[in-house]
């Protein structure tokens, strides 16, 4: 005799209930995803509004680093950004361009420091030589040939360059003087004084009590080797402008 198993009404009701719950869950899932997406977008939009259109994270302070005192104040005056401007909307490239117009500034970079500071990092020009102009004024010039100020007295260790034979120093003559100091070894360059430039091909200077006729920019290494050897002599004048045939007297 065989028996057929029958499911109780309670079991049938339980299965049907689970089926309906799964079906409802499947129908609700897309709506939940959509709602979550809407909430995320709303949060992002709110954050963007706070960042870009309110003063919550607006400009409160300009910090100048790399220089101090009066120079820092002059740089800060070039930062034309209204207080309260959302920091994220500040055009840092425009600020850099404005600060770079100051002749004493060699390089500049600008970055944001949250929550409300704009940092202006300045690299100032450094004096390489001081040029004595025809009126007797001392003009400070950096290693690239840019004049960026006048002084009453040359800074310590910075040689004074005088143009001879003309009313003012021509650019090529100025470059010849800078090339000399760049090409000389540090131990010699630091002792150069009374640097005179007649032309780009005739640079003379005083070194360890000797008057040195250097000439132009050509063959600096060979000239240096010859000069070192002749500095040990008692010659008052050392001419290495033609290093293969140096002259002393």
């Amino acid at each position: 005799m065989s028996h057929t198993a029958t499911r109780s009404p309670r079991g049938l009701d339980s299965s049907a209930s689970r089926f309906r719950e799964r079906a409802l869950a499947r129908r609700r899932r897309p709506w939940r995803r959509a709602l979550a997406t809407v909430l995320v977008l709303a949060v992002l939009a709110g954050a963007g509004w706070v960042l870009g259109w309110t003063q919550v994270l607006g400009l409160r302070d300009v910090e100048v680093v790399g220089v101090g005192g009066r120079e820092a104040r002059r740089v800060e005056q070039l930062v034309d950004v209204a207080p309260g401007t959302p920091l994220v909307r500040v055009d840092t490239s425009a600020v850099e361009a404005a600060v770079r117009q100051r002749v004493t500034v060699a390089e500049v970079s600008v970055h944001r420091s949250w929550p409300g500071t704009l940092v202006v990092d300045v690299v100032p020009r450094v004096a390489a030589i001081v040029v004595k102009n025809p009126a007797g004024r001392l003009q400070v010039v950096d290693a690239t040939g840019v004049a960026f100020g006048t002084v009453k007295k040359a800074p310590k260790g910075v040689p004074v360059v005088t143009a001879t034979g003309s009313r003012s120093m021509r650019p090529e003559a100025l470059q010849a003087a800078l090339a000399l100091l760049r090409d000389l070894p540090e131990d010699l360059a630091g002792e150069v004084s009374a640097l005179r430039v007649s032309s780009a091909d005739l640079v003379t200077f005083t070194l360890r009590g000797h008057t040195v006729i250097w000439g132009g920019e050509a063959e600096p290494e060979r000239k240096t080797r010859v000069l070192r050897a002749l500095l040990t002599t008692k010659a008052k004048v050392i001419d290495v402008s033609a290093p293969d045939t140096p002259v002393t007297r």
Side-chain angles (χ1 to χ4, degrees), residues 11 120 180 215 230 234:
V120 183
L180 164 70
L230 295 178
K234 295 181 179 181

Side-chain angles (χ1 to χ4, degrees), residues 55-121:
Q55 295 186 5
V56 173
L57 295 177
L59 178 66
R60 293 181 177 84
D61 185 38
V62 175
E63 180 183 356
V64 179
V65 298
V67 294
R70 184 171 62 180
E71 180 66 10
R73 292 192 293 272
R74 294 289 186 273
V75 170
E76 186 175 348
Q77 290 171 358
L78 295 172
V79 181
D80 188 17
V81 181
T85 300
L87 208 59
V88 73
R89 296 177 61 193
V90 173
D91 187 344
T92 56
S93 296
V95 175
E96 288 175 358
V99 174
R100 200 172 282 116
Q101 291 178 5
R102 183 164 176 79
V103 71
T104 56
V105 174
E107 292 293 339
V108 59
S109 63
V110 177
H111 65 273
R112 304 172 182 86
S113 179
W114 305 99
T117 302
L118 196 65
V119 180
V120 183
D121 193 349

Side-chain angles (χ1 to χ4, degrees), residues 67-230:
V67 294
R70 184 171 62 180
E71 180 66 10
R73 292 192 293 272
R74 294 289 186 273
V75 170
E76 186 175 348
Q77 290 171 358
L78 295 172
V79 181
D80 188 17
V81 181
T85 300
L87 208 59
V88 73
R89 296 177 61 193
V90 173
D91 187 344
T92 56
S93 296
V95 175
E96 288 175 358
V99 174
R100 200 172 282 116
Q101 291 178 5
R102 183 164 176 79
V103 71
T104 56
V105 174
E107 292 293 339
V108 59
S109 63
V110 177
H111 65 273
R112 304 172 182 86
S113 179
W114 305 99
T117 302
L118 196 65
V119 180
V120 183
D121 193 349
V122 173
V123 178
R125 295 191 187 277
V126 178
I129 59 174
V130 172
V131 176
K132 188 174 183 180
N133 66 21
R137 293 172 61 193
L138 300 177
Q139 200 168 34
V140 183
V141 179
D142 76 352
T144 66
V146 175
F148 61 97
T150 58
V151 293
K152 293 182 179 180
K153 183 180 179 181
K156 185 177 180 180
V158 179
V160 176
V161 182
T162 304
T164 61
S166 63
R167 293 192 300 174
S168 61
M169 184 173 295
R170 299 178 64 85
E172 57 271 23
L174 177 61
Q175 290 301 323
L178 290 170
L180 164 70
L181 296 174
R182 182 182 64 245
D183 294 335
L184 277 178
E186 187 175 347
D187 63 314
L188 296 181
E191 298 185 58
V192 168
S193 63
L195 207 162
R196 297 173 294 279
V197 182
S198 301
S199 68
D201 296 320
L202 185 52
V203 177
T204 63
F205 56 89
T206 300
L207 178 65
R208 298 177 185 174
H210 304 268
T211 296
V212 179
I213 302 174
W214 183 261
E217 296 183 42
E219 302 183 280
E221 293 182 359
R222 183 184 292 268
K223 289 178 180 178
T224 299
R225 288 196 298 270
V226 174
L227 176 60
R228 283 193 185 279
L230 295 178

